[in-house]
Amino acid sequence: MATDITDTTHAVDAAAVMRLLPTRPRLLALGEPTHGEDTLLDIRNELFRQLVEQEGYRTIAIESDCLMGLVVDDYVTSGTGTLDDVMERGFSHGFGASAANRELVRWMRAYNDGRPASEQLRFTGFDGPLEITGAASPRQALTALHDYLATRVDPDLLPCTAETLDRLLGADDRWTDSAAMMNPAQSVGQSAEARELRLLADDLVALLDEQAPHLIAATPRDDWDRACLYGRTATGLLHYHFRMADTSPMRMTRLCALRDLMMAHNLLALAARGPALLHAHNSHLQREKSSMQMWQGPVEWWSAGALVNARLGDGYAFIATALGTIRHQGVHTPPPDTVEGRLYALPEDRYVVDAPHLAAALGDPRPAPRVSPYFGYAPLDPSHLTGIDGIVFIKDLPGTPKS
């Protein structure tokens, strides 16, 4: 079996990835099994650079706040701001502190310098304005959408004034109270004001759609795209806050599902604009349902990758990353009867392997699932191999061992 797998392993480069796919996908996703490891992001950067230069991809999208990502896009396309400021204000989840993310932004800006807009790289975050501890206020998205419409359509068509939105939104710290994640009673998501805001957000998005012929003709396409992003984000956040106030047993399942739904809507909008490269945790990009053990028990929901794949078919491809060891996090040599253990036994340190071929070579029953000793690392699910187009396997992740 090892020889059979070895026959389909290749160096980690764009050519090896593209050989796994029947055609160039509209969305090409690279996943990672853990966050916070710059080695993985360095590999992503080099692979994405090759795909940009050899395959013509022009958008790079990562698992970060979609509104904060606008700051990064402005910088890489026009040089607005400074690199230090962009890294501080343009990323969520602490990703701005990553040296590899900084290098990605620096390279994108250098690539775009002197190129016409039609040939420039674009950056986007495709996550919602969400953190594990809670969600952002819908203020930025709602007011930006209202401002866009107020300057471009008949005022009598607007469902409310800016002052009404401001009154209903109230203080932002009501929305961002981290206590609401563990205690639904602390959430304002089902208050009378929040319910009215949901109706107004729907009306504003409907008005945006109704006026599309005029708005697209009268304003730059980027302005229209951003208005649509504001609309998706406003409605998504208000739904998320509504579920934060929910007391049903399905509360966390719905919250996880809504986050990935927001991701999927952003990714489908990217696909409509042109070919894009994606990077996020494997669990957000896989074609199967995602699952997680949380404080109230296991939750299961359809990932963004599954939702996008259902719409795009061959227009979506997913390359997972798998790891042998993360010794500084207590993840040591994988047991030989796991998928990672079989891959670890091969001589190469880093390679790309055809996942469906690997699944056929392993046969049934599948190897045992690897048990992670570290909450931040998710091993491959042996039952999901046929839903992955390829695997980038990294035998040993360098790092500083724990003292």
Side-chain angles (χ1 to χ4, degrees):
M1 185 212 68
T3 302
D4 194 24
I5 296 174
T6 302
D7 289 342
T8 65
T9 64
H10 303 279
V12 181
D13 57 31
V17 169
M18 297 309 293
R19 278 196 294 269
L20 301 175
L21 310 173
T23 186
R24 186 187 74 166
R26 195 76 165 171
L27 298 180
L28 176 51
L30 175 67
E32 62 178 3
T34 186
H35 289 320
E37 299 291 342
D38 266 6
T39 297
L40 298 182
L41 302 186
D42 289 336
I43 293 169
R44 173 205 65 187
N45 289 354
E46 177 58 22
L47 190 57
F48 280 10
R49 182 188 66 78
Q50 294 176 22
L51 288 164
V52 165
E53 295 174 350
Q54 299 171 24
E55 299 295 331
Y57 284 93
R58 287 294 177 268
T59 297
I60 292 177
I62 75 167
E63 181 190 341
S64 184
D65 183 327
C66 56
L67 299 185
M68 296 179 77
L70 298 175
V71 174
V72 185
D73 189 56
D74 285 342
Y75 176 77
V76 301
T77 56
S78 65
T80 302
T82 66
L83 182 56
D84 286 343
D85 183 56
V86 165
M87 298 311 297
E88 182 178 347
R89 297 193 302 113
F91 291 84
S92 59
H93 313 324
F95 293 162
S98 160
N101 280 336
R102 185 184 184 90
E103 174 56 24
L104 174 67
V105 175
R106 187 209 62 78
W107 172 75
M108 292 180 70
R109 177 66 199 130
Y111 182 93
N112 285 342
D113 192 26
R115 295 180 187 268
S118 61
E119 297 178 12
Q120 287 191 346
L121 292 178
R122 304 297 298 269
F123 178 93
T124 184
F126 66 89
D127 201 353
L130 309 170
E131 297 285 355
I132 295 298
T133 55
S137 164
R139 178 182 301 279
Q140 180 183 356
L142 268 177
T143 56
L145 175 59
H146 188 277
D147 289 348
Y148 173 84
L149 290 168
T151 59
R152 293 168 175 85
V153 303
D154 187 327
D156 290 337
L157 293 173
L158 292 169
C160 66
T161 65
E163 290 74 20
T164 297
L165 284 182
D166 186 62
R167 174 179 58 80
L168 293 171
L169 286 162
D172 284 345
D173 58 10
R174 297 193 313 145
W175 298 91
T176 58
D177 184 358
S178 60
M181 180 53 74
M182 300 297 291
N183 182 4
Q186 297 298 312
S187 172
V188 299
Q190 293 189 18
S191 64
E193 293 86 355
R195 291 174 185 273
E196 188 171 352
L197 284 168
R198 289 181 69 190
L199 294 174
L200 291 173
D202 287 345
D203 285 345
L204 288 168
V205 171
L207 180 58
L208 184 70
D209 291 338
E210 292 164 11
Q211 295 293 314
H214 160 64
L215 294 169
I216 291 173
T219 61
R221 184 64 190 226
D222 277 357
D223 290 354
W224 163 259
D225 287 339
R226 288 195 177 193
C228 292
L229 171 63
Y230 293 136
R232 293 192 303 273
T233 306
T235 55
L237 276 174
L238 286 164
H239 278 89
Y240 194 89
H241 280 288
F242 180 86
R243 289 297 171 187
M244 285 188 71
D246 189 10
T247 57
S248 76
M250 299 299 288
R251 176 178 182 264
M252 289 309 304
T253 297
R254 294 302 303 274
L255 287 175
C256 291
L258 282 170
R259 180 187 178 194
D260 271 77
L261 182 61
M262 291 178 72
M263 289 185 177
H265 286 162
N266 287 332
L267 293 178
L268 290 169
L270 284 182
R273 192 170 77 182
L277 300 169
L278 321 177
H279 187 260
H281 197 280
N282 287 333
S283 63
H284 292 303
L285 300 174
Q286 65 191 34
R287 289 182 170 95
E288 292 79 10
K289 278 188 170 181
S290 296
S291 60
M292 182 183 294
Q293 183 69 33
M294 304 195 80
W295 56 86
Q296 88 298 342
V299 296
E300 190 176 64
W301 70 97
W302 288 111
S303 70
L307 296 170
V308 169
N309 182 72
R311 301 286 189 91
L312 298 184
D314 288 343
Y316 178 73
F318 170 44
I319 308 298
T321 299
L323 299 172
T325 70
I326 323 173
R327 298 189 191 281
H328 56 285
Q329 297 290 1
V331 181
H332 297 289
T333 304
D337 62 342
T338 62
V339 175
E340 286 88 352
R342 303 288 182 89
L343 295 175
Y344 196 84
L346 299 183
E348 297 94 338
D349 290 330
R350 300 177 180 181
Y351 57 88
V352 175
V353 63
D354 182 317
H357 179 92
L358 173 63
L362 294 174
D364 291 318
R366 290 277 188 265
R370 187 181 191 183
V371 177
S372 173
Y374 166 48
F375 177 76
Y377 161 64
L380 286 173
D381 186 329
S383 67
H384 290 177
L385 292 179
T386 55
I388 301 172
D389 296 296
I391 298 170
V392 174
F393 185 74
I394 313 299
K395 181 172 285 189
D396 297 295
L397 202 62
T400 303
K402 288 183 176 180
S403 58

